[in-house]
Amino acid sequence: TTARPGGPDLLRGVQLVDIENPRRPTLLSNLDTLGRSVGLALSGSELFVADDFNGVVILDVADSRAPRVLGQVALPGNALGVRLDGNTLSVAAGVSGLSLIDVTDRMHPFLFGAYDTPGSVRAIAGEEPDVLLADGSSGIATVHLNPRLGPVSFASSTRVSTLAPAGFSTGP
C-alpha cells in the first residue's frame, strides 16, 4: 500500500493505493483532509500530511480501507513539505520558513519552534542536526538544530546562492 496526495478531485486529501500489482493499482480509500495535501512522511502506520493552508494532519493508516485522523496542528504559514525525525516533525512552511512540531502525542501535536528565512520554504530534506531548506529565490539554506541550547535553537544558518549545473545559467 502506498499513499499519495490528492483525494477524489486531486486537490484535497489523501488517497491510499494498493500497488502490489504495479500494472493494476487499486484505490483503497480517500480521506478529505480539508487542505491541499502536498507532502507526506510515513512512520509505521502513521502518515504525516503537509496539508497546505490546513497545516499538518496526522493520520492512522493501519486500516488502509478506513484511515482516520489522529491529530492536527495549524501553522502560521502553509505546510508544503514534511520531514520526521523521532518525535520532531520539520515542516516547510512557505513564507513563514521552517516550523517544528512536537508529535510525541500524536493526538495533540504542537508547534514548538520556528525559523524564518528570507525566501519561501517549499521543501525540506536532511538528517538532524542539519536540515536543508529549498528557500525559493533565496536558494538553499542549511539550518543547524542544536537541542543542547534549549528545546531547539538555530545555531547557524548558511545561505548558498542559487545552484545550477555547469553550462546552465541561474538567471535570464
Side-chain angles (χ1 to χ4, degrees):
T1 301
T2 189
R4 67 180 180 193
D9 63 7
L10 294 179
L11 293 176
R12 289 180 26 165
V14 173
Q15 294 182 329
L16 298 179
V17 179
D18 181 343
I19 57 170
E20 188 173 335
N21 179 350
R23 292 177 187 228
R24 298 201 63 170
T26 304
L27 179 64
L28 299 175
S29 60
N30 285 306
L31 182 68
D32 188 349
T33 55
L34 302 181
R36 191 174 65 94
S37 302
V38 292
L40 306 171
L42 182 66
S43 177
S45 63
E46 296 168 335
L47 184 64
F48 299 82
V49 181
D51 207 30
D52 201 358
F53 59 85
N54 192 42
V56 171
V57 179
I58 304 171
L59 304 177
D60 177 352
V61 294
D63 180 352
S64 55
R65 295 197 181 274
R68 64 187 181 92
V69 175
L70 291 176
Q72 182 174 354
V73 62
L75 298 175
N78 295 10
L80 302 175
V82 289
R83 183 184 122 322
L84 183 66
D85 188 7
N87 286 317
T88 300
L89 188 69
S90 301
V91 182
V95 295
S96 294
L98 170 68
S99 293
L100 298 172
I101 300 173
D102 184 315
V103 294
T104 303
D105 180 350
R106 304 301 205 237
M107 292 184 180
H108 302 98
F110 63 91
L111 180 69
F112 76 96
Y115 179 71
D116 195 11
T117 64
S120 178
V121 179
R122 313 293 291 170
I124 185 168
E127 301 270 333
E128 277 195 25
D130 295 311
V131 178
L132 296 173
L133 307 174
D135 199 25
S137 61
S138 295
I140 306 291
T142 302
V143 177
H144 182 78
L145 306 178
N146 187 339
R148 288 183 291 150
L149 299 177
V152 66
S153 67
F154 303 94
S156 67
S157 176
T158 305
R159 183 123 334 258
V160 178
S161 61
T162 304
L163 302 175
F168 290 88
S169 170
T170 61

